[in-house]
Amino acid sequence: MRDFRIEIPETELDDLRERLARTRWPDPATVDGWEQGIPLDYTRELCEYWRTRYDWRRVEAEINSWPQFRTGLDGGGDDSVEVHVLHARSRHAGAMPLLLTHGWPGSLVEFLDVLPALTDPEDPADAFHVVLPTLPGFGFSGKPAVSGWGVERIAVAWAQLMDRLGYSRFAAQGGDWGSMITSALGTAAPEMLYGIHLTMALAPKPRDGAQPLSKQERDDIAFSKAFSRYGAGYSAEQSTRPQTIGYGLVDSPVAQCAWIVEKFWDWTDCAGHPENVISRDRLLDNVMQYWLNGTGASSARLYWESFARRRMDDVEVPTGIAQFPQEMVKLPRHWLERRFTDLRWFSRPDVGGHFAALEQPETFVDELRGYFRTLR
């Protein structure tokens, strides 16, 4: 394990500003709002702010205020990838180790605002040692040079990471791809887990005569079907042609920004505008995790590796699930209980969406404290 600090040369920031200044813009949409994608006027305003007022050094210093390292992990394969890890140890004795896993288009930025509450709570009995790795091909982690780095392999790599840190047992939480990796970890290394917590839990639809659905469950499934119909074009592209979309994302900061920020409009409980729940600076902090190391193609490749190959093995470790109202997939509890056979916590917070830790940090922290308190 090698200590690590983020130190972006000023020349890279100058290059970003120059590229933003030279943007060739498309025509505006032929309808108002976001129906055809992120609106031109908002995109220009956001990118002009990015060029002239956004301060990368602020978030660089914020991330660097936490201990970080990079370490090579192979996930049981022949090749290894250097993984960037933020390791926030609590000052409280007896803190529970907690592995947090982000997804796409998220990053470690999702969790920066909750780290103080998780590591240094009012009640020391709620304290966590937080381990926050960046997925291979994302952010400041290395990029896989060969295929094979899908959900199950990353889960094995995470078990290797926690063992390397000396944590023989730990808790784990994830959303988006992090939910799938955390679930796979519950199958691959159950003996290492106190339990898992998920904000986007997936399970197959029962083929036999499952119990009837409630109105709420029918509404949830209709919501998910509408998302698949109108909001899943990005996944079709990234799961089939990640290299093609990568050329634009790696070369154009506006393309990378628009590709990501549109999702923060669609997937958050934001009443029509992402900045209603996530600040402009935080949105750009997250975009920068993709822009600075040119990870548009390498991060998209996780869809190619896992979207059609993801497994739905049973998970027998203690499981907690939170279904936030604007989450893209909300499945009936009795479906989930068939896969997560020791489901001990099932909540439906009143507000929030796919990026729960960013949108509703206090609720997210309360979820983790409440559930894992039952397993300490």
Side-chain angles (χ1 to χ4, degrees), residues 151-348:
V151 162
E152 285 74 26
R153 186 169 177 186
I154 295 172
V156 173
W158 278 190
Q160 293 174 334
L161 169 65
M162 297 303 279
D163 179 69
R164 191 169 297 175
L165 288 171
Y167 295 131
S168 58
R169 294 196 74 195
F170 58 93
Q173 197 283 331
D176 194 83
W177 285 111
S179 174
M180 298 173 227
I181 292 164
T182 302
S183 299
L185 189 57
T187 301
E191 72 284 353
M192 297 183 72
L193 290 164
Y194 292 110
I196 63 174
H197 182 279
L198 311 173
T199 53
M200 193 183 78
L202 302 179
K205 180 180 179 179
R207 295 185 178 182
D208 56 13
Q211 68 188 66
L213 300 178
S214 68
K215 182 182 183 305
Q216 179 65 66
E217 290 168 340
R218 292 195 302 271
D219 290 345
D220 288 343
I221 291 174
F223 182 90
S224 299
K225 287 182 177 178
F227 171 80
S228 295
R229 171 66 179 85
Y230 298 105
Y234 75 98
S235 64
E237 179 69 19
Q238 296 194 156
S239 62
T240 57
R241 300 291 188 270
Q243 189 68 19
T244 301
I245 190 66
Y247 295 110
L249 299 180
V250 171
D251 185 62
S252 167
V254 171
Q256 182 67 90
C257 181
W259 191 245
I260 287 177
V261 172
E262 184 211 59
K263 309 305 178 288
F264 280 82
W265 161 75
D266 196 21
W267 302 356
T268 57
D269 195 0
C270 67
H273 199 289
E275 292 183 28
N276 288 337
V277 291
I278 302 171
S279 73
R280 177 171 293 188
D281 283 326
R282 268 295 185 246
L283 290 171
L284 293 172
D285 292 344
N286 183 70
V287 171
M288 288 290 271
Q289 303 301 307
Y290 290 81
W291 174 256
L292 289 172
N293 291 313
T295 63
S298 57
S299 61
R301 245 173 241 128
L302 181 54
Y303 285 76
W304 187 90
E305 294 282 359
S306 295
F307 194 80
R309 303 174 180 89
R310 54 188 171 179
R311 290 159 49 178
M312 292 286 183
D313 298 328
D314 287 350
V315 179
E316 297 179 355
V317 299
T319 301
I321 294 172
Q323 289 187 344
F324 285 81
Q326 197 65 19
E327 182 57 79
M328 62 184 74
V329 178
K330 301 187 291 293
L331 299 179
R333 177 171 182 163
H334 56 274
W335 292 16
L336 296 167
E337 286 173 333
R338 293 188 174 212
R339 183 186 183 200
F340 301 95
T341 59
D342 191 6
L343 183 58
R344 301 189 185 187
W345 180 280
F346 187 85
S347 67
R348 295 180 61 93

